[in-house]
Coordinates of all heavy atoms in Angstrom, one line a residue:
M1 N 3.5 9.3 -6.3 CA 2.3 8.5 -6.5 C 1.7 8.8 -7.8 O 1.7 9.9 -8.3 CB 1.3 8.9 -5.4 CG 1.5 8.1 -4.1 SD 0.1 8.3 -3.1 CE 0.8 9.0 -1.7
S2 N 1.1 7.8 -8.4 CA 0.4 8.0 -9.7 C -1.1 7.9 -9.4 O -1.8 7.2 -10.0 CB 0.9 6.9 -10.7 OG 0.6 5.6 -10.1
L3 N -1.5 8.8 -8.5 CA -2.9 8.8 -8.1 C -3.4 10.3 -8.3 O -2.6 11.2 -8.1 CB -3.1 8.5 -6.7 CG -3.0 7.0 -6.3 CD1 -3.0 6.9 -4.7 CD2 -4.1 6.2 -6.9
P4 N -4.7 10.5 -8.5 CA -5.3 11.8 -8.5 C -5.1 12.4 -7.1 O -5.0 11.6 -6.1 CB -6.8 11.6 -8.8 CG -6.8 10.3 -9.5 CD -5.7 9.5 -9.0
V5 N -5.0 13.7 -7.0 CA -4.7 14.4 -5.7 C -5.6 13.9 -4.6 O -5.1 13.5 -3.5 CB -4.8 15.9 -5.8 CG1 -4.6 16.6 -4.5 CG2 -3.7 16.4 -6.8
K6 N -6.9 13.9 -4.8 CA -7.8 13.5 -3.7 C -7.6 12.0 -3.2 O -7.6 11.7 -2.1 CB -9.2 13.7 -4.2 CG -10.3 13.7 -3.1 CD -11.6 14.1 -3.6 CE -12.6 14.3 -2.4 NZ -13.9 14.8 -2.9
D7 N -7.4 11.1 -4.2 CA -7.1 9.7 -3.9 C -5.8 9.6 -3.1 O -5.6 8.8 -2.2 CB -7.1 8.9 -5.1 CG -8.5 8.7 -5.7 OD1 -9.5 9.0 -5.0 OD2 -8.6 8.3 -6.9
G8 N -4.8 10.4 -3.6 CA -3.5 10.4 -2.9 C -3.6 10.9 -1.5 O -2.9 10.3 -0.6
E9 N -4.4 11.9 -1.2 CA -4.6 12.4 0.1 C -5.2 11.3 1.0 O -4.8 11.2 2.2 CB -5.4 13.6 0.1 CG -4.7 14.8 -0.5 CD -5.7 16.0 -0.7 OE1 -6.9 15.9 -0.5 OE2 -5.1 17.1 -1.0
K10 N -6.1 10.5 0.5 CA -6.7 9.4 1.3 C -5.7 8.4 1.6 O -5.7 7.9 2.8 CB -7.9 8.8 0.5 CG -9.1 9.7 0.3 CD -10.1 9.1 -0.6 CE -11.2 10.1 -1.0 NZ -12.1 9.5 -2.0
L11 N -4.9 8.0 0.7 CA -3.8 7.0 0.9 C -2.8 7.6 1.9 O -2.4 6.9 2.8 CB -3.1 6.6 -0.4 CG -2.2 5.4 -0.3 CD1 -2.9 4.2 0.3 CD2 -1.6 5.1 -1.7
L12 N -2.4 8.9 1.8 CA -1.5 9.5 2.8 C -2.1 9.5 4.2 O -1.4 9.3 5.2 CB -1.1 10.9 2.4 CG -0.2 10.9 1.2 CD1 0.0 12.4 0.7 CD2 1.2 10.3 1.5
A13 N -3.4 9.7 4.3 CA -4.1 9.7 5.6 C -4.0 8.3 6.2 O -3.7 8.1 7.4 CB -5.5 10.1 5.5
L14 N -4.1 7.2 5.4 CA -4.0 5.9 5.8 C -2.5 5.6 6.3 O -2.3 4.9 7.3 CB -4.4 4.9 4.8 CG -4.2 3.4 5.1 CD1 -5.1 3.0 6.3 CD2 -4.5 2.5 3.9
I15 N -1.6 6.1 5.5 CA -0.2 5.9 5.9 C 0.1 6.5 7.3 O 0.8 5.9 8.1 CB 0.8 6.5 4.8 CG1 0.6 5.7 3.5 CG2 2.2 6.6 5.3 CD1 1.3 6.3 2.3
D16 N -0.5 7.7 7.5 CA -0.3 8.3 8.8 C -0.9 7.5 9.9 O -0.3 7.3 11.0 CB -1.0 9.7 8.9 CG -0.2 10.8 8.0 OD1 1.0 10.5 7.8 OD2 -0.8 11.8 7.7
T17 N -2.1 6.9 9.7 CA -2.7 6.0 10.7 C -1.9 4.8 10.9 O -1.7 4.4 12.1 CB -4.1 5.6 10.2 OG1 -4.9 6.8 10.0 CG2 -4.9 4.8 11.2
V18 N -1.4 4.2 9.9 CA -0.5 3.0 10.0 C 0.7 3.3 10.8 O 1.2 2.6 11.7 CB -0.2 2.4 8.7 CG1 0.8 1.3 8.8 CG2 -1.5 1.8 8.0
E19 N 1.3 4.5 10.5 CA 2.5 4.9 11.2 C 2.2 5.1 12.7 O 3.0 4.7 13.6 CB 3.0 6.2 10.7 CG 4.3 6.7 11.2 CD 4.9 7.9 10.5 OE1 4.1 8.7 10.0 OE2 6.1 8.0 10.4
E20 N 1.0 5.6 13.1 CA 0.6 5.8 14.5 C 0.3 4.5 15.2 O 0.8 4.2 16.3 CB -0.6 6.7 14.5 CG -1.0 7.0 15.9 CD -2.3 7.9 15.9 OE1 -2.3 8.9 15.0 OE2 -3.2 7.7 16.7
L21 N -0.4 3.6 14.5 CA -0.9 2.4 15.1 C 0.1 1.2 15.0 O 0.0 0.2 15.8 CB -2.3 2.0 14.6 CG -3.4 3.0 14.8 CD1 -4.7 2.5 14.2 CD2 -3.6 3.3 16.3
G22 N 0.9 1.2 13.9 CA 1.8 0.1 13.7 C 1.3 -0.8 12.6 O 0.2 -1.0 12.3
I23 N 2.3 -1.5 12.0 CA 2.0 -2.4 10.9 C 1.2 -3.6 11.3 O 0.4 -4.1 10.5 CB 3.3 -2.8 10.1 CG1 3.0 -3.3 8.7 CG2 4.2 -3.8 10.9 CD1 2.6 -2.2 7.8
Q24 N 1.4 -4.1 12.5 CA 0.7 -5.3 12.9 C -0.8 -5.0 13.0 O -1.7 -5.8 12.6 CB 1.2 -5.8 14.2 CG 2.6 -6.4 14.1 CD 2.7 -7.5 13.1 OE1 1.8 -8.4 12.9 NE2 3.8 -7.5 12.3
E25 N -1.1 -3.8 13.5 CA -2.5 -3.4 13.6 C -3.1 -3.2 12.2 O -4.3 -3.5 11.9 CB -2.7 -2.1 14.4 CG -4.1 -1.6 14.6 CD -4.9 -2.6 15.5 OE1 -4.4 -3.4 16.2 OE2 -6.2 -2.5 15.4
A26 N -2.3 -2.7 11.2 CA -2.7 -2.5 9.8 C -3.1 -3.8 9.2 O -4.0 -3.9 8.5 CB -1.6 -1.7 9.1
I27 N -2.3 -4.8 9.5 CA -2.5 -6.2 8.9 C -3.8 -6.7 9.5 O -4.7 -7.2 8.8 CB -1.3 -7.1 9.2 CG1 -0.1 -6.6 8.4 CG2 -1.7 -8.5 8.9 CD1 1.2 -7.3 8.8
K28 N -4.0 -6.5 10.8 CA -5.2 -7.0 11.5 C -6.4 -6.3 11.0 O -7.5 -7.0 10.8 CB -5.0 -6.7 13.0 CG -6.2 -7.1 13.9 CD -6.0 -6.8 15.3 CE -7.2 -6.8 16.1 NZ -7.0 -6.4 17.5
M29 N -6.3 -5.0 10.7 CA -7.5 -4.3 10.1 C -7.6 -4.4 8.6 O -8.5 -3.8 8.0 CB -7.3 -2.8 10.5 CG -7.3 -2.5 11.9 SD -8.8 -2.9 12.8 CE -9.9 -1.7 12.0
Q30 N -6.8 -5.3 8.0 CA -6.8 -5.5 6.6 C -6.5 -4.3 5.8 O -7.0 -4.1 4.7 CB -8.1 -6.2 6.2 CG -8.3 -7.5 6.8 CD -9.6 -8.2 6.4 OE1 -10.4 -7.7 5.7 NE2 -9.7 -9.5 6.7
W31 N -5.7 -3.4 6.3 CA -5.2 -2.2 5.6 C -3.9 -2.6 4.8 O -3.5 -1.8 4.0 CB -4.9 -1.1 6.5 CG -6.1 -0.6 7.2 CD1 -7.4 -0.6 6.8 CD2 -6.2 0.1 8.5 NE1 -8.2 0.0 7.7 CE2 -7.5 0.4 8.8 CE3 -5.2 0.4 9.4 CZ2 -7.9 1.0 10.0 CZ3 -5.5 1.1 10.6 CH2 -6.9 1.4 10.8
A32 N -3.2 -3.6 5.3 CA -2.0 -4.0 4.7 C -2.0 -5.5 4.3 O -2.6 -6.3 5.1 CB -0.8 -3.8 5.6
K33 N -1.4 -5.9 3.2 CA -1.5 -7.3 2.8 C -0.2 -7.6 2.1 O 0.4 -6.9 1.3 CB -2.6 -7.4 1.8 CG -2.8 -8.8 1.2 CD -3.9 -8.9 0.2 CE -4.0 -10.2 -0.5 NZ -5.0 -10.2 -1.5
K34 N 0.3 -8.9 2.4 CA 1.5 -9.3 1.7 C 1.1 -9.8 0.3 O 0.2 -10.6 0.1 CB 2.1 -10.5 2.5 CG 3.4 -11.0 2.0 CD 4.1 -12.0 2.8 CE 5.4 -12.4 2.3 NZ 6.1 -13.2 3.3
I35 N 1.9 -9.4 -0.7 CA 1.7 -9.7 -2.1 C 2.7 -10.8 -2.5 O 2.4 -11.7 -3.2 CB 1.8 -8.5 -3.0 CG1 0.8 -7.4 -2.6 CG2 1.7 -8.8 -4.4 CD1 -0.6 -7.8 -2.8
D36 N 4.0 -10.6 -2.1 CA 5.0 -11.5 -2.5 C 6.1 -11.4 -1.5 O 6.0 -10.7 -0.5 CB 5.5 -11.1 -3.9 CG 6.2 -12.2 -4.7 OD1 6.6 -13.2 -4.1 OD2 6.3 -12.0 -5.9
T37 N 7.3 -12.0 -1.7 CA 8.4 -11.9 -0.8 C 8.8 -10.5 -0.7 O 9.2 -9.9 -1.7 CB 9.6 -12.8 -1.3 OG1 9.1 -14.1 -1.5 CG2 10.7 -12.7 -0.3
N38 N 8.7 -9.9 0.5 CA 9.0 -8.5 0.8 C 8.3 -7.5 -0.1 O 8.9 -6.5 -0.4 CB 10.5 -8.3 0.9 CG 10.9 -7.1 1.6 OD1 10.2 -6.6 2.5 ND2 12.0 -6.5 1.3
L39 N 7.1 -7.8 -0.5 CA 6.3 -6.9 -1.3 C 4.9 -6.9 -0.7 O 4.3 -7.9 -0.6 CB 6.3 -7.3 -2.8 CG 5.4 -6.3 -3.6 CD1 6.1 -4.9 -3.7 CD2 5.3 -6.9 -5.0
F40 N 4.5 -5.7 -0.3 CA 3.2 -5.6 0.4 C 2.4 -4.4 -0.3 O 2.9 -3.6 -1.0 CB 3.4 -5.2 1.9 CG 4.3 -6.2 2.6 CD1 5.7 -6.0 2.5 CD2 3.8 -7.2 3.3 CE1 6.5 -6.9 3.2 CE2 4.6 -8.1 3.9 CZ 6.0 -8.0 3.9
E41 N 1.1 -4.4 0.1 CA 0.3 -3.3 -0.4 C -0.5 -2.7 0.8 O -1.0 -3.4 1.6 CB -0.6 -3.6 -1.6 CG -1.8 -4.6 -1.2 CD -2.7 -4.8 -2.4 OE1 -2.4 -4.4 -3.5 OE2 -3.7 -5.5 -2.1
L42 N -0.6 -1.4 0.8 CA -1.5 -0.7 1.7 C -2.8 -0.6 1.0 O -2.9 -0.3 -0.2 CB -1.0 0.7 2.0 CG 0.1 0.8 3.1 CD1 0.5 2.2 3.2 CD2 -0.4 0.3 4.4
R43 N -3.9 -0.8 1.7 CA -5.2 -0.8 1.0 C -6.2 0.2 1.6 O -6.6 0.1 2.8 CB -5.8 -2.2 1.3 CG -4.8 -3.3 0.9 CD -5.2 -4.7 1.4 NE -6.2 -5.2 0.4 CZ -6.9 -6.3 0.6 NH1 -6.8 -7.0 1.7 NH2 -7.7 -6.7 -0.3
S44 N -6.5 1.2 0.8 CA -7.4 2.3 1.2 C -8.7 2.2 0.4 O -8.6 2.2 -0.8 CB -6.7 3.6 1.0 OG -7.6 4.7 1.3
K45 N -9.8 2.1 1.1 CA -11.1 2.1 0.3 C -12.0 3.1 0.9 O -12.3 3.2 2.1 CB -11.7 0.7 0.5 CG -13.0 0.6 -0.3 CD -13.6 -0.8 -0.3 CE -14.8 -0.9 -1.1 NZ -15.4 -2.2 -1.1
Q46 N -12.4 4.0 0.0 CA -13.4 5.1 0.4 C -14.5 5.0 -0.6 O -14.4 5.3 -1.8 CB -12.7 6.5 0.3 CG -11.5 6.6 1.2 CD -11.9 6.7 2.6 OE1 -13.0 7.2 3.0 NE2 -11.1 6.2 3.5
G47 N -15.6 4.5 -0.2 CA -16.8 4.3 -1.1 C -16.4 3.2 -2.1 O -16.0 2.1 -1.8
S48 N -16.5 3.6 -3.4 CA -16.2 2.7 -4.5 C -14.8 2.9 -4.9 O -14.3 2.1 -5.8 CB -17.2 2.8 -5.6 OG -17.0 4.2 -6.2
N49 N -14.0 3.9 -4.4 CA -12.6 4.1 -4.7 C -11.7 3.2 -3.9 O -11.8 3.2 -2.7 CB -12.2 5.5 -4.5 CG -12.9 6.5 -5.5 OD1 -13.3 6.1 -6.5 ND2 -13.0 7.7 -5.1
I50 N -10.8 2.5 -4.6 CA -9.9 1.6 -3.9 C -8.5 2.0 -4.4 O -8.1 1.8 -5.5 CB -10.2 0.1 -4.3 CG1 -11.6 -0.3 -3.9 CG2 -9.2 -0.8 -3.6 CD1 -12.0 -1.6 -4.4
Q51 N -7.7 2.5 -3.4 CA -6.4 2.9 -3.7 C -5.4 1.9 -3.1 O -5.7 1.4 -2.0 CB -6.0 4.3 -3.2 CG -6.8 5.4 -3.8 CD -8.2 5.6 -3.3 OE1 -8.5 5.4 -2.2 NE2 -9.1 5.8 -4.2
R52 N -4.3 1.8 -3.7 CA -3.2 0.9 -3.2 C -1.9 1.6 -3.2 O -1.6 2.4 -4.1 CB -3.1 -0.4 -4.0 CG -4.4 -1.2 -4.1 CD -4.7 -1.9 -2.7 NE -5.7 -2.8 -2.8 CZ -6.9 -2.7 -2.3 NH1 -7.3 -1.5 -1.7 NH2 -7.8 -3.6 -2.3
G53 N -1.1 1.3 -2.2 CA 0.3 1.8 -2.2 C 1.2 0.6 -2.0 O 1.0 -0.2 -1.1
M54 N 2.1 0.4 -3.0 CA 3.0 -0.8 -2.9 C 4.2 -0.4 -2.1 O 4.7 0.7 -2.2 CB 3.4 -1.1 -4.3 CG 2.3 -1.5 -5.3 SD 1.3 -2.9 -4.7 CE 2.4 -4.2 -4.9
Y55 N 4.6 -1.3 -1.2 CA 5.8 -1.0 -0.4 C 6.5 -2.2 0.0 O 6.1 -3.4 -0.2 CB 5.3 -0.3 0.9 CG 4.6 -1.1 1.9 CD1 5.2 -1.7 3.0 CD2 3.2 -1.4 1.8 CE1 4.6 -2.5 3.9 CE2 2.5 -2.1 2.7 CZ 3.2 -2.7 3.8 OH 2.5 -3.5 4.7
F56 N 7.7 -2.1 0.5 CA 8.5 -3.2 1.0 C 9.2 -2.8 2.3 O 9.4 -1.6 2.6 CB 9.5 -3.7 -0.1 CG 10.6 -2.7 -0.5 CD1 11.8 -2.6 0.2 CD2 10.3 -1.8 -1.6 CE1 12.7 -1.6 -0.2 CE2 11.3 -0.9 -2.0 CZ 12.5 -0.8 -1.3
H57 N 9.6 -3.8 3.1 CA 10.3 -3.6 4.3 C 11.7 -3.3 4.0 O 12.4 -4.0 3.3 CB 10.1 -4.8 5.2 CG 10.8 -4.7 6.5 ND1 11.8 -5.5 6.9 CD2 10.5 -3.9 7.6 CE1 12.2 -5.1 8.1 NE2 11.4 -4.2 8.5
F58 N 12.2 -2.2 4.6 CA 13.6 -1.8 4.3 C 14.5 -2.3 5.4 O 15.3 -3.2 5.1 CB 13.7 -0.3 4.2 CG 15.0 0.3 3.9 CD1 15.6 0.0 2.7 CD2 15.7 1.1 4.7 CE1 16.9 0.4 2.3 CE2 16.9 1.6 4.4 CZ 17.5 1.3 3.2
E59 N 14.4 -1.8 6.6 CA 15.2 -2.3 7.7 C 14.5 -1.8 9.0 O 13.8 -0.8 9.0 CB 16.6 -1.8 7.7 CG 16.8 -0.3 7.7 CD 18.2 0.1 7.6 OE1 19.0 -0.6 7.0 OE2 18.5 1.2 8.1
N60 N 14.7 -2.6 10.1 CA 14.1 -2.3 11.4 C 12.6 -2.0 11.2 O 11.9 -2.9 10.7 CB 14.9 -1.2 12.1 CG 16.3 -1.5 12.3 OD1 16.6 -2.7 12.6 ND2 17.2 -0.6 12.2
N61 N 12.2 -0.9 11.6 CA 10.7 -0.5 11.4 C 10.6 0.5 10.3 O 9.7 1.3 10.4 CB 10.2 0.1 12.7 CG 10.0 -1.0 13.8 OD1 9.7 -2.2 13.4 ND2 10.1 -0.7 15.0
R62 N 11.4 0.4 9.3 CA 11.3 1.3 8.2 C 10.8 0.6 6.9 O 11.2 -0.5 6.6 CB 12.7 1.9 7.9 CG 13.2 2.7 9.1 CD 14.6 3.1 9.0 NE 14.8 4.0 7.8 CZ 15.9 4.4 7.4 NH1 17.0 4.0 7.9 NH2 16.0 5.2 6.3
Y63 N 9.9 1.3 6.2 CA 9.3 0.7 5.0 C 9.4 1.8 3.9 O 9.5 2.9 4.2 CB 7.8 0.4 5.3 CG 7.6 -0.6 6.3 CD1 7.6 -0.3 7.7 CD2 7.5 -2.0 6.0 CE1 7.4 -1.3 8.7 CE2 7.4 -2.9 7.0 CZ 7.3 -2.6 8.3 OH 7.2 -3.5 9.3
F64 N 9.4 1.3 2.7 CA 9.6 2.2 1.5 C 8.4 2.0 0.6 O 8.2 0.9 0.1 CB 10.9 1.8 0.8 CG 11.2 2.8 -0.3 CD1 11.8 4.0 0.0 CD2 10.9 2.5 -1.6 CE1 12.2 4.9 -1.0 CE2 11.2 3.3 -2.6 CZ 11.8 4.5 -2.3
I65 N 7.6 3.0 0.4 CA 6.5 3.0 -0.5 C 6.9 3.4 -1.9 O 7.5 4.5 -2.0 CB 5.4 3.9 0.0 CG1 4.9 3.5 1.4 CG2 4.2 3.9 -1.0 CD1 4.0 4.4 2.1
T66 N 6.7 2.5 -2.8 CA 7.2 2.8 -4.2 C 6.3 3.6 -5.0 O 6.7 4.5 -5.7 CB 7.5 1.5 -4.9 OG1 6.3 0.7 -5.0 CG2 8.6 0.7 -4.2
H67 N 5.0 3.4 -4.9 CA 4.0 4.1 -5.7 C 2.6 3.8 -5.3 O 2.4 2.8 -4.5 CB 4.2 3.8 -7.2 CG 3.8 2.4 -7.6 ND1 4.6 1.3 -7.3 CD2 2.8 1.9 -8.3 CE1 4.1 0.3 -7.8 NE2 3.0 0.6 -8.4
G68 N 1.7 4.6 -5.8 CA 0.2 4.3 -5.5 C -0.5 4.2 -6.8 O -0.1 4.7 -7.8
F69 N -1.6 3.5 -6.7 CA -2.5 3.3 -7.9 C -3.9 3.0 -7.5 O -4.2 2.7 -6.3 CB -1.9 2.2 -8.8 CG -1.9 0.9 -8.2 CD1 -3.0 0.0 -8.5 CD2 -0.9 0.5 -7.4 CE1 -3.0 -1.3 -8.0 CE2 -0.9 -0.8 -6.8 CZ -1.9 -1.7 -7.1
T70 N -4.8 3.2 -8.4 CA -6.2 2.9 -8.2 C -6.5 1.5 -8.7 O -6.1 1.1 -9.8 CB -7.2 3.8 -8.9 OG1 -6.9 5.2 -8.3 CG2 -8.6 3.5 -8.6
K71 N -6.9 0.6 -7.8 CA -7.2 -0.8 -8.1 C -8.6 -1.0 -8.7 O -9.5 -0.5 -8.0 CB -6.9 -1.6 -6.9 CG -6.9 -3.1 -7.2 CD -6.4 -3.8 -5.9 CE -6.4 -5.3 -6.1 NZ -5.9 -6.0 -5.0
K72 N -8.7 -1.6 -9.8 CA -10.0 -1.8 -10.5 C -10.4 -3.2 -10.5 O -11.5 -3.5 -11.0 CB -9.9 -1.2 -11.8 CG -9.7 0.3 -11.8 CD -9.6 0.9 -13.2 CE -9.3 2.4 -13.0 NZ -9.1 3.1 -14.2
T73 N -9.6 -4.2 -10.1 CA -9.9 -5.6 -10.1 C -9.6 -6.2 -8.8 O -8.9 -5.6 -8.0 CB -9.1 -6.3 -11.2 OG1 -7.7 -6.3 -10.9 CG2 -9.4 -5.7 -12.6
D74 N -10.0 -7.4 -8.6 CA -9.7 -8.1 -7.3 C -8.2 -8.5 -7.2 O -7.6 -8.6 -6.1 CB -10.5 -9.4 -7.2 CG -12.0 -9.1 -6.9 OD1 -12.3 -8.0 -6.4 OD2 -12.8 -10.0 -7.2
K75 N -7.5 -8.7 -8.3 CA -6.2 -9.2 -8.3 C -5.2 -7.9 -8.6 O -5.6 -7.1 -9.5 CB -6.0 -10.2 -9.4 CG -4.8 -11.0 -9.3 CD -4.8 -12.2 -10.2 CE -3.7 -13.2 -9.8 NZ -3.7 -14.4 -10.6
T76 N -4.1 -7.9 -7.9 CA -3.2 -6.8 -8.2 C -2.5 -7.0 -9.5 O -1.9 -8.1 -9.8 CB -2.1 -6.8 -7.0 OG1 -2.7 -6.6 -5.8 CG2 -1.1 -5.6 -7.3
P77 N -2.6 -6.0 -10.4 CA -2.0 -6.2 -11.7 C -0.5 -6.4 -11.7 O 0.2 -5.8 -10.9 CB -2.3 -4.8 -12.4 CG -3.5 -4.3 -11.7 CD -3.3 -4.8 -10.3
L78 N 0.0 -7.3 -12.5 CA 1.4 -7.6 -12.6 C 2.3 -6.4 -12.8 O 3.3 -6.2 -12.1 CB 1.7 -8.6 -13.7 CG 3.2 -9.1 -13.8 CD1 3.6 -9.8 -12.4 CD2 3.3 -10.1 -14.9
R79 N 1.9 -5.4 -13.6 CA 2.7 -4.2 -13.9 C 2.9 -3.4 -12.6 O 3.8 -2.7 -12.5 CB 2.0 -3.4 -15.0 CG 0.8 -2.7 -14.6 CD 0.2 -1.9 -15.7 NE -1.0 -1.2 -15.3 CZ -2.2 -1.7 -15.4 NH1 -2.4 -3.0 -15.9 NH2 -3.3 -1.1 -15.0
E80 N 1.9 -3.5 -11.6 CA 2.1 -2.7 -10.4 C 3.0 -3.4 -9.4 O 3.6 -2.8 -8.5 CB 0.7 -2.6 -9.7 CG -0.3 -1.8 -10.5 CD 0.1 -0.4 -10.9 OE1 1.1 0.1 -10.3 OE2 -0.6 0.2 -11.7
K81 N 3.3 -4.7 -9.6 CA 4.2 -5.4 -8.7 C 5.7 -5.2 -9.1 O 6.6 -5.4 -8.4 CB 3.9 -6.9 -8.8 CG 2.6 -7.3 -8.2 CD 2.4 -8.8 -8.3 CE 1.1 -9.3 -7.9 NZ 0.9 -10.7 -8.0
K82 N 5.9 -4.8 -10.4 CA 7.3 -4.7 -10.9 C 7.8 -3.4 -10.4 O 7.1 -2.3 -10.3 CB 7.3 -4.6 -12.4 CG 6.9 -6.0 -13.0 CD 7.0 -6.0 -14.5 CE 6.7 -7.3 -15.0 NZ 6.8 -7.4 -16.5
V83 N 9.1 -3.4 -10.0 CA 9.8 -2.2 -9.5 C 9.9 -1.2 -10.7 O 10.4 -1.6 -11.8 CB 11.1 -2.5 -8.9 CG1 11.9 -1.3 -8.5 CG2 11.0 -3.5 -7.8
K84 N 9.5 0.0 -10.5 CA 9.6 1.1 -11.5 C 10.9 1.8 -11.3 O 11.2 2.3 -10.2 CB 8.4 2.0 -11.5 CG 7.1 1.3 -11.8 CD 6.0 2.2 -11.7 CE 4.7 1.3 -12.1 NZ 3.5 2.1 -12.1
R85 N 11.8 1.9 -12.3 CA 13.0 2.6 -12.1 C 13.1 3.9 -12.9 O 12.5 4.0 -13.9 CB 14.2 1.7 -12.5 CG 14.2 0.5 -11.6 CD 15.3 -0.5 -12.1 NE 15.0 -1.7 -11.3 CZ 16.0 -2.4 -10.7 NH1 17.2 -2.0 -10.8 NH2 15.7 -3.5 -10.1

């Protein structure tokens, strides 16, 4: 993750919650949002801090989180949508 430790911990806590409750509940609670074809973001907001984790569906009930970042605008920056290799 490319997040400060404290922000990364908040996002990891959200990931644990989503894992426990399921992705459908995360979508309902607006913690997960579809960005593009098989590209999604987890959305963690604590006060004025907004962290995002980009992920895609791998297979069955498995998902792969590529990276995390702090979102500063309403729109997800294009550079965050690109796969980092």
